[in-house]
């Protein structure tokens, strides 16, 4: 099931990529796109700290979306 845009975590940077509340803090997105995904230590989940600004970052974010084990990453773009 795809990420739920209505369940976005509050810390996401504005833009097309987002993480929803189903994130299990597994590290996959932070490994795939460390420039864009950040960990919330307070809430124990990841979020989009910075939207991709280059094609390389966009590809890395798309890879994170495709490899997320719980489909917690979405892209409205």
């Amino acid at each position: 099931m795809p990420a739920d845009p209505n369940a976005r975590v509050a810390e996401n940077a504005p833009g097309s990529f987002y993480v929803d509340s189903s994130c299990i803090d597994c590290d996959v997105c932070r490994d795939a796109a460390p420039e864009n995904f950040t960990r919330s230590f307070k809430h124990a989940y990841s979020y989009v700290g910075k939207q991709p600004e280059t094609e390389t970052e966009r590809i890395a974010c798309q890879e994170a979306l495709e490899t997320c084990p719980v489909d917690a990453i979405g892209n409205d773009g």
Side-chain angles (χ1 to χ4, degrees):
M1 188 157 66
D4 182 355
N6 296 315
R8 295 173 191 236
V9 298
E11 294 91 340
N12 286 306
S16 61
F17 282 94
Y18 63 91
V19 176
D20 75 12
S21 61
S22 67
C23 176
I24 59 170
D25 197 29
C26 71
D27 236 7
V28 168
C29 65
R30 296 189 307 267
D31 285 342
E35 299 294 320
N36 305 96
F37 289 88
T38 305
R39 182 174 195 262
S40 169
F41 288 94
K42 180 178 181 182
H43 300 291
Y45 54 62
S46 294
Y47 61 92
V48 178
K50 179 178 84 89
Q51 291 292 327
E53 296 173 349
T54 66
E55 183 64 10
T56 300
E57 287 182 356
R58 189 199 65 73
I59 289 168
C61 287
Q62 187 63 35
E63 179 184 330
L65 183 154
E66 292 170 4
T67 58
C68 177
V70 294
D71 295 326
I73 302 171
N75 180 358
D76 287 344

